[in-house]
Amino acid sequence: MEKVSSQWVPHHFSKERSIKDAINTYKLASYCGALKKEKHIILAGICLRIASLYRIKQNKEQEERFLKFTLKEYEASYSTGDFSSTQASEARILYLAGEISRRIGNEKTAIKYFSFVFERQKNAREASIIQMARDRFQELKRT
């Protein structure tokens, strides 16, 4: 109540939203999620959506900013294991961390995460994620 409601300016988010409205909605969700100490996996998903919206707007600076937030949350989710009660798998978390690291220009970290994916391949149902990680790993090793 103190952190959100006391500062609230009435908005209506139930109609079709512009990209700007969508960004503001997700930012509000991120802020509220952080206040209530939501799982890192949830916060990562919200930040990734914000980054995607900035990508659509071709705002590279803000896209990268939110990709960095996303990466931080995926790393925290992986280290705390808070993703285990969700549909996200270890392989998916590691792949996304690698892909985001690659996108923000941190190739060494990306290679590390991609290699973790196929080192820990326990689950055959995630063959596509393992293959994507191998492909990205090979691309980065060639550069």
Side-chain angles (χ1 to χ4, degrees):
M1 294 292 285
E2 176 185 320
K3 301 273 185 182
V4 179
S5 294
S6 66
Q7 308 296 316
W8 186 252
V9 176
H11 294 13
H12 297 285
F13 295 122
S14 60
K15 296 179 182 174
E16 189 171 326
R17 298 177 192 153
S18 65
I19 292 176
K20 181 181 177 186
D21 289 340
I23 289 170
N24 288 335
T25 303
Y26 280 122
K27 283 181 176 180
L28 178 61
S30 176
Y31 180 64
C32 290
L35 286 175
K36 67 177 232 151
K37 300 190 184 336
E38 188 62 70
K39 289 182 178 185
H40 295 289
I41 189 71
I42 302 297
L43 296 174
I46 294 169
C47 289
L48 186 57
R49 285 177 180 89
I50 296 168
S52 297
L53 290 167
Y54 277 121
R55 185 176 197 175
I56 291 167
K57 287 186 69 152
Q58 299 179 338
N59 185 331
K60 291 188 182 295
E61 182 181 316
Q62 289 300 313
E63 176 191 359
E64 186 170 318
R65 177 176 170 235
F66 279 92
L67 284 174
K68 287 176 181 177
F69 290 147
T70 303
L71 179 59
K72 179 182 167 200
E73 293 298 338
Y74 276 135
E75 289 171 336
S77 178
Y78 179 72
S79 68
T80 63
D82 77 358
F83 65 92
S84 62
S85 62
T86 70
Q87 291 182 344
S89 66
E90 179 181 46
R92 185 175 302 268
I93 300 295
L94 291 169
Y95 174 78
L96 288 168
E99 182 60 21
I100 292 166
S101 295
R102 185 189 69 79
R103 284 189 181 201
I104 62 175
N106 194 339
E107 292 180 356
K108 286 183 181 180
T109 302
I111 288 170
K112 176 184 79 170
Y113 282 121
F114 292 141
S115 65
F116 283 166
V117 172
F118 47 84
E119 285 173 5
R120 292 175 169 81
Q121 57 181 311
K122 298 175 189 171
N123 198 339
R125 71 184 167 99
E126 302 215 330
S128 61
I129 291 175
I130 293 164
Q131 189 57 51
M132 289 188 303
R134 278 197 177 105
D135 293 346
R136 290 292 194 208
F137 181 86
Q138 292 302 321
E139 287 172 20
L140 289 169
K141 287 301 247 183
R142 283 183 245 155
T143 58

